Amino acid sequence: QLQANGRQVFHVPLTLFNDDTSGNSSQKWNKYESWSFTFAGLPFKKTQLQENTNFICTSKHASAIESTCIITDCLRELRKGILVYDVVLCEEVFVTASVLQILGDNPALSSIVSHTGLTSSTPCHFCNI
């Protein structure tokens, strides 16, 4: 409230999505790591529309983890809040955002959380399965 200084405050929960554009790990197929986000408050059918999917970044050389470091810095700033101009209200408003969930396919999310998978000798860190 102190940062908003009497302005309206809007909190926006986000859904992040990560995937590689090619399921192949071969350099021949030009694998790209891509990040995008949607607004988590939208109905599910609306989140699937192209106009509601917001591009964050894509890279042929940076891994999902490397991209996440930069995205995290931006999200920290959004969590603290930023002043933006609302054209509908014709005034400055204070906007904060937080990540509600991160979506992706199993291989992408496994690499992000450094999951070793079922092929490791002890896939669970707490017990020997």
Side-chain angles (χ1 to χ4, degrees):
Q1 289 178 342
L2 293 175
Q3 289 179 326
N5 198 21
R7 296 176 182 91
Q8 289 192 52
V9 177
F10 294 94
H11 180 73
V12 183
L14 304 174
T15 297
L16 297 180
F17 179 76
N18 169 257
D19 198 11
D20 53 355
T21 57
S22 173
N24 299 315
S25 58
S26 169
Q27 295 291 64
K28 176 180 167 184
W29 299 106
N30 295 329
K31 178 179 168 183
Y32 289 87
E33 288 288 336
S34 297
W35 283 93
S36 61
F37 76 92
T38 59
F39 298 109
L42 292 174
F44 179 74
K45 286 188 177 184
K46 293 206 180 225
T47 63
Q48 304 304 304
L49 298 175
Q50 184 176 359
E51 60 263 23
N52 292 329
T53 300
N54 302 282
F55 174 77
I56 298 174
C57 67
T58 191
S59 176
K60 183 176 181 178
H61 304 289
S63 69
I65 292 292
E66 293 167 333
S67 299
T68 305
C69 293
I70 297 166
I71 293 168
T72 302
D73 291 339
C74 296
L75 289 171
R76 281 189 185 123
E77 185 177 341
L78 275 173
R79 186 176 56 199
K80 293 176 187 174
I82 58 172
L83 284 177
V84 298
Y85 185 79
D86 189 317
V87 296
V88 174
L89 299 174
C90 296
E91 64 184 19
E92 283 188 334
V93 296
F94 194 72
V95 177
T96 63
S98 60
V99 176
L100 181 66
Q101 59 187 345
I102 300 175
L103 303 177
D105 61 1
N106 285 342
L109 294 178
S110 288
S111 70
I112 291 170
V113 298
S114 302
H115 183 254
T116 57
L118 298 175
T119 58
S120 64
S121 58
T122 55
C124 177
H125 296 287
F126 300 109
C127 59
N128 295 323
I129 298 175

